[in-house]
């Protein structure tokens, strides 16, 4: 259909919906009263993509459906309180066979592939439950029970998956859980598959890569509040599921809500290559640190000829820098670990399966996908550095770098979770940092300070708005964003400017292939229109996370949580000793900065606290106060307890929903907090 005919069809569709109330047409109405339909420029861009994309290639659809056994009779998964933890029907609009001009055609294809829901056989003895959460949960049949790989994000979905496979294939106990890496959608649901009594009796093993607990906890702790907020944009938490809102999360539909837990591994995989047999199943682990996660491992099942690629190989490009925030990943190392797996296991493997997407069968197909992903990350690293060495900067690279055409013709090398646009900038950030070497950008004014000057020099708000509308009407959305963004920073209360900026964000979001980019722009548009509105998410402030947090990590976090502006002039030392595990610490306040050192006690401490670690955990969780522990004889304090009150006076409770865009929240900032861990902390972690 031509662009003009498609626009006419949209108009007629709206008229028909108004006259007859047709449900199928009404379903396509925008979820927001200020929302817009795709412009003619967006429609033309989508039609161009339909002409050039290899949409005739249906192999992924065949692979995604292969081995299907059954779907459960329900589409919603409920929690113990009767609330919805997961609902695959939220995205049913994708199943009506319509091409949406508000969705990039490549993204719509990926979103449809991620709608598979139910139990699948990978090969006899290996099964997956897909569509219950962001990730897949895999089950390996052992001699006596199930070996579970990556038990999803929350206990509600993992519990449902275990119950369903037992109903379909026969009741079996869980004898082991393999956690492939340190992201929450792969371990958070462990309480749904592990029985505490069986674990205490040694009947369940938990295996994870070297450094798992430290990486899983620390990445959630130090910058966790900011990551939670950033995740609300990149995962589209604030959006409705709609052709005009959230359609996919690249590697799954979305993140389930519910109870997130973590348990320490009973065995850590320490060596680069390590072999182990559990319940009759031989496994060869390949540690791949610093790839998709700081602690991650692939697994080879030699007797089943099956290669588990963890999250190192998925159906598309992954994040070199996840937009929710994390240290930049090493694209070259990622490529090299895939290459090692290719040469070590590729010529033996008859199936490759992973924690997301769908399996690949046959040596030729497996080798093709592994080489394609290897080359994608290697080219991203090497060609970006080639351009950087030629003078291209971090602020230019996304407009200059072009991946080889052969990569873009392979669906598994398209930019979904990670985009070539932001990953190219990430490579420069990793090697060279944020600065583009122009002194004018080294110590710039904050945007709210520079924006009024720009608006003044452009002739005032009315002229900026007029030019912005002109650019919008010409389909020059990036150009319009440049100037309207200045006006919004200069005049945060100018709702007309915020509405126009939202309109430009919206059309850009429609056109992006990557859900990470789409969600970010559409989330920004919604908050510009509505202001900041908090939404419910999975919780991470659970006792499991507190128990998994080392005392040193916790004390280091206090240095983040304190506002040094409130500590001016304070000076004290606190000794902390936990006799049950033999740990000792000195916490020192000096120069309005809190530091911690392990393994020492200060001779001149102002206060010494002696408390067993298991008792300290109650205080960290918030179920008890330190003073109560002292009164009960379960802790001792010697010295001046007033320094604790001083320390407490510097602590703040971070706002989970701080303002991102100007003028979208009436009250911002932080407030004093009495406790240690936030009860309302939302769980941010995704890949």
């Amino acid at each position: 259909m031509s662009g003009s005919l498609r626009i006419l069809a949209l108009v007629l569709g709206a008229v028909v919906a108004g006259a007859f109330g047709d449900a199928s047409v009404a379903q396509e109405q925008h979820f927001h009263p200020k929302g817009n339909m795709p412009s003619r420029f967006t429609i033309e861009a989508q039609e161009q993509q339909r002409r050039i994309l290899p949409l005739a290639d249906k192999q992924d659809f065949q692979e995604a459906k292969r081995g299907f056994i059954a779907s459960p009779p329900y589409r919603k998964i409920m929690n113990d309180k009767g609330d919805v933890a997961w609902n695959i029907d939220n995205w049913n609009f994708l199943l009506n066979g319509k091409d949406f001009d508000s969705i990039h055609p490549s993204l719509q294809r990926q979103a449809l592939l991620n709608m598979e829901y139910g139990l699948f056989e990978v090969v006899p003895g290996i099964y997956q439950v897909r569509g219950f959460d962001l990730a897949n949960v895999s089950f390996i049949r052992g001699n006596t029970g199930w070996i579970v790989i990556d038990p999803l994000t929350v206990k509600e979905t993992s519990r449902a998956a275990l119950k369903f496979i037992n109903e379909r294939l026969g009741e079996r106990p869980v004898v082991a859980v393999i956690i492939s890496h340190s992201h929450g959608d792969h371990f958070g649901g462990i309480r749904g598959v592990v029985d505490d009594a069986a674990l205490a009796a040694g009947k369940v093993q938990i295996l994870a890569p070297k450094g798992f607990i430290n990486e899983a906890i620390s990445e959630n702790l130090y910058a966790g509040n900011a990551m939670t907020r950033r995740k609300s944009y990149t995962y589209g938490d604030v959006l409705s599921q709609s052709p005009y809102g959230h359609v996919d999360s690249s590697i799954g539909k979305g993140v389930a809500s519910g109870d997130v837990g973590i348990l320490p591994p009973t065995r850590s995989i320490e060596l680069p290559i390590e072999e182990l047999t559990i319940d009759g199943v031989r496994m060869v682990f390949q540690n791949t640190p610093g790839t998709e996660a700081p602690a991650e491992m692939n697994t080879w099942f030699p007797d089943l000829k099956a290669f588990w690629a963890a999250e190192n190989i998925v159906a598309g490009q992954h994040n070199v820098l996840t937009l929710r925030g994390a240290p930049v990943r090493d694209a070259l190392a990622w490529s090299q670990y895939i290459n090692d797996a290719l040469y070590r296991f590729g010529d033996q493997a008859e199936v490759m399966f992973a924690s997301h997407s769908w399996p690949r069968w046959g040596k030729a197909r497996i080798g093709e996908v592994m080489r394609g992903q290897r080359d994608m990350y290697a080219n991203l690293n090497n060609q970006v550095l080639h351009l950087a060495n030629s003078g291209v900067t971090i602020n230019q690279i996304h407009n200059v770098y072009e991946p080889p055409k052969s990569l873009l013709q392979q669906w598994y090398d398209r930019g979904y979770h990670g985009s070539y646009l932001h990953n190219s900038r990430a490579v420069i950030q990793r090697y060279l940092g944020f600065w583009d070497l122009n002194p004018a950008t080294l110590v710039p004014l904050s945007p709210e300070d520079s924006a009024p000057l720009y608006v003044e020099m452009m002739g005032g708000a009315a002229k900026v708005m007029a030019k912005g509308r002109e650019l919008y009407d010409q389909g020059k959305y990036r150009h319009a964003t440049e100037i309207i963004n200045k006006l919004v920073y200069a005049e945060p209360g100018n709702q007309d400017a915020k509405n126009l900026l939202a309109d430009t964000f919206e059309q850009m979001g429609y056109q992006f292939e990557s859900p990470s980019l789409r969600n970010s722009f559409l989330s920004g548009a919604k908050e510009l229109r509505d202001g900041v509105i908090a939404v419910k998410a999975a919780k991470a402030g659970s006792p499991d996370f507190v128990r998994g947090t080392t005392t040193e990590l916790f004390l280091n976090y206090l240095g983040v949580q304190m506002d040094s502006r409130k500590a001016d002039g304070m000076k004290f030392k606190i000794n902390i000793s936990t006799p049950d595990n033999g740990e000792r610490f000195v916490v020192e306040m000096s120069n309005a900065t809190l530091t911690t050192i392990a393994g020492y006690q200060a001779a001149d401490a102002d206060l010494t606290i002696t408390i067993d670690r298991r008792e300290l955990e109650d205080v960290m969780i918030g179920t008890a106060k330190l003073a109560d522990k002292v009164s009960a004889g379960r802790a001792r304090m010697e010295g001046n307890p007033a320094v604790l009150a001083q320390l407490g006076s510097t602590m703040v409770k971070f706002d989970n929903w701080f303002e991102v865009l100007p003028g979208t929240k009436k009250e911002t900032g932080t407030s004093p907090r009495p406790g240690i861990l936030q009860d309302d902390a939302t769980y941010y972690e995704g890949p």
Side-chain angles (χ1 to χ4, degrees):
M1 184 182 291
S2 70
S4 58
L5 287 176
R6 193 175 291 272
I7 294 169
L8 178 61
L10 287 171
V11 174
L12 290 176
V15 172
V16 170
F20 300 103
D22 184 277
S24 64
V25 178
Q27 186 183 25
E28 297 167 15
Q29 300 307 302
H30 201 293
F31 67 88
H32 197 282
K34 292 183 180 179
N36 298 296
M37 295 293 106
S39 70
R40 67 183 180 90
F41 302 102
T42 295
I43 292 172
E44 289 167 2
Q46 312 296 40
E47 289 187 336
Q48 172 65 8
Q49 289 299 317
R50 294 186 186 103
R51 287 191 290 270
I52 64 176
L53 287 168
L55 293 170
D57 179 0
K58 302 295 185 183
Q59 186 169 3
D60 283 340
F61 288 94
Q62 297 164 4
E63 291 170 331
K65 293 181 180 298
R66 180 169 169 175
F68 175 72
I69 296 174
S71 292
Y74 52 83
R75 305 280 284 179
K76 295 180 182 178
I77 297 173
M78 314 301 290
N79 64 22
D80 294 336
K81 297 178 180 179
D83 298 325
V84 177
W86 179 254
N87 185 2
I88 190 70
D89 281 343
N90 286 338
W91 298 274
N92 271 359
F93 61 87
L94 292 164
L95 303 178
N96 67 8
K98 175 182 171 58
D99 289 336
F100 293 103
D101 291 318
S102 56
I103 308 173
H104 190 290
S106 172
L107 171 55
Q108 183 169 341
R109 177 187 182 277
Q110 183 81 350
L112 184 59
L113 283 161
N114 283 332
M115 286 297 290
E116 295 299 329
Y117 177 72
L119 175 63
F120 296 78
E121 181 183 75
V122 178
V123 293
I126 300 179
Y127 306 90
Q128 286 189 315
V129 174
R130 303 183 204 139
F132 276 40
D133 205 325
L134 183 66
N136 306 323
V137 56
S138 300
F139 296 86
I140 315 298
R141 189 196 301 271
N143 288 340
T144 64
W146 294 120
I147 298 171
V148 179
I149 308 181
D150 287 1
L152 305 179
T153 312
V154 297
K155 76 173 185 182
E156 290 87 346
T157 53
S158 65
R159 180 175 60 194
L162 178 62
K163 183 174 184 291
F164 184 54
I165 192 172
N166 278 335
E167 288 172 349
R168 299 297 305 190
L169 301 182
E171 186 87 20
R172 299 169 68 83
V174 172
V175 296
V177 177
I178 298 172
I179 300 169
S180 69
H181 63 286
S182 52
H183 289 154
D185 53 320
H186 302 267
F187 65 79
I190 193 166
R191 289 288 186 182
V193 298
V194 170
D195 177 81
D196 283 343
L199 183 63
K203 296 179 180 179
V204 180
Q205 298 187 56
I206 302 174
L207 287 79
K210 179 181 179 180
F212 161 72
I213 279 286
N214 181 69
E215 296 294 349
I217 298 294
S218 64
E219 196 171 50
N220 279 276
L221 193 60
Y222 293 146
N225 192 70
M227 289 181 178
T228 299
R229 185 66 171 108
R230 294 169 67 96
K231 182 253 182 189
S232 73
Y233 267 50
T234 62
Y235 276 78
D237 293 344
V238 303
L239 299 174
S240 298
Q241 291 84 11
S242 158
Y244 309 102
H246 187 279
V247 300
D248 201 55
S249 296
S250 310
I251 50 177
K253 298 314 302 175
V255 181
S257 62
D259 290 334
V260 180
I262 189 171
L263 293 173
T266 60
R267 175 164 179 165
S268 178
I269 303 303
E270 298 285 326
L271 301 176
I273 301 293
E274 192 167 330
E275 186 167 349
L276 189 64
T277 299
I278 295 178
D279 201 29
V281 179
R282 285 200 302 146
M283 296 169 281
V284 180
F285 299 100
Q286 177 200 20
N287 261 313
T288 62
T291 51
E292 188 272 336
E296 188 150 359
M297 64 185 185
N298 300 327
T299 307
W300 165 240
F301 297 90
D303 297 328
L304 297 168
K305 303 297 182 185
F307 176 67
W308 162 262
E311 200 168 329
N312 287 317
I313 299 174
V314 296
Q317 184 177 135
H318 213 297
N319 287 302
V320 174
L321 174 60
T322 174
L323 294 176
R324 64 161 169 82
V328 179
R329 297 159 184 172
D330 189 340
L332 182 59
W334 200 331
S335 170
Q336 290 170 336
Y337 277 117
I338 293 175
N339 208 19
D340 181 70
L342 171 64
Y343 278 85
R344 187 182 297 272
F345 308 119
D347 63 346
Q348 307 170 64
E350 295 178 1
V351 67
M352 176 173 67
F353 66 118
S355 58
H356 296 279
S357 310
W358 47 91
R360 318 287 186 169
W361 286 268
K363 291 182 175 61
R365 176 65 165 168
I366 294 167
E368 170 201 328
V369 174
M370 293 179 83
R371 284 185 172 86
Q373 293 245 313
R374 174 199 67 185
D375 295 346
M376 173 181 65
Y377 293 116
N379 188 272
L380 187 64
N381 184 86
N382 298 342
Q383 185 63 16
V384 165
L385 290 179
H386 174 90
L387 292 167
N389 281 314
S390 302
V392 180
T393 72
I394 193 170
N395 295 323
Q396 299 167 323
I397 189 65
H398 55 292
N399 295 316
V400 177
Y401 170 68
E402 295 182 357
K405 290 184 175 62
S406 58
L407 289 180
L408 294 181
Q409 287 299 306
Q410 307 299 330
W411 288 113
Y412 45 77
D413 288 332
R414 302 291 303 189
Y416 296 122
H417 210 33
S419 75
Y420 289 99
L421 292 170
H422 77 265
N423 277 343
S424 58
R425 302 187 76 187
V427 171
I428 291 186
Q429 181 177 327
R430 178 180 177 85
Y431 285 92
L432 298 173
F434 70 91
W435 187 36
D436 64 0
L437 206 58
N438 180 346
T441 65
L442 185 54
V443 284
L445 290 169
S446 296
E448 61 270 22
D449 295 327
S450 63
L453 177 60
Y454 280 96
V455 172
E456 178 187 351
M457 296 301 293
M458 286 188 281
K463 288 190 175 181
V464 176
M465 286 291 290
K467 185 62 177 179
R469 287 195 181 96
E470 177 186 326
L471 292 168
Y472 177 87
D473 291 341
Q474 294 171 351
K476 296 179 179 179
Y477 303 123
R478 292 175 72 184
H479 292 78
T481 294
E482 282 285 325
I483 64 170
I484 300 301
N485 188 53
K486 302 290 187 190
L487 179 55
V488 169
Y489 269 99
E491 300 181 6
N494 188 333
Q495 190 59 49
D496 288 340
K498 287 187 285 189
N499 288 341
L500 182 54
L501 185 58
D503 292 345
T504 66
F505 280 1
E506 186 171 56
Q507 296 301 323
M508 292 172 70
Y510 290 162
Q511 293 184 33
F512 281 123
E513 178 178 30
S514 165
S516 301
L517 300 185
R518 173 191 173 91
N519 291 339
S520 297
F521 276 80
L522 296 184
S523 296
K526 185 177 186 303
E527 290 199 342
L528 285 166
R529 290 164 174 162
D530 293 343
V532 177
I533 300 174
V535 297
K536 184 172 62 175
K539 301 289 184 182
S542 70
D544 280 350
F545 272 85
V546 176
R547 294 187 185 100
T549 302
T550 66
T551 306
E552 185 173 12
L553 275 176
F554 162 66
L555 295 174
N556 285 339
Y557 179 68
L558 292 183
V560 175
Q561 195 178 358
M562 66 159 282
D563 186 343
S564 65
R565 294 167 295 186
K566 298 181 178 182
D568 190 40
M570 291 185 186
K571 191 171 184 179
F572 55 78
K573 294 177 184 176
I574 302 174
N575 285 337
I576 298 176
S577 173
T578 51
D580 57 341
N581 63 5
E583 291 185 333
R584 302 185 304 164
F585 305 90
V586 180
V587 177
E588 183 173 356
M589 178 75 82
S590 175
N591 296 308
T593 303
L594 195 69
T595 60
T596 297
I597 185 169
Y600 292 89
Q601 297 276 269
D604 58 345
D606 297 277
L607 178 67
T608 295
I609 301 171
T610 304
I611 182 172
D612 282 345
R613 164 67 197 205
R614 63 179 179 271
E615 301 290 344
L616 179 62
E617 287 173 0
D618 294 337
V619 179
M620 294 165 65
I621 293 168
T623 57
K625 296 180 180 179
L626 182 59
D628 296 335
K629 293 289 185 181
V630 173
S631 299
R634 295 178 179 175
R636 296 195 314 273
M637 286 198 295
E638 301 172 64
N640 180 15
V643 298
L644 282 180
Q646 284 187 281
L647 178 60
S649 72
T650 70
M651 294 291 133
V652 299
K653 180 177 180 178
F654 293 120
D655 180 1
N656 295 148
W657 292 91
F658 56 77
E659 184 178 85
V660 174
L661 296 168
T664 55
K665 190 166 185 177
K666 293 181 180 179
E667 296 181 5
T668 60
T670 57
S671 57
R673 58 158 303 144
I676 291 174
L677 292 182
Q678 297 183 61
D679 292 334
D680 60 345
T682 51
Y683 185 70
Y684 76 87
E685 181 58 81

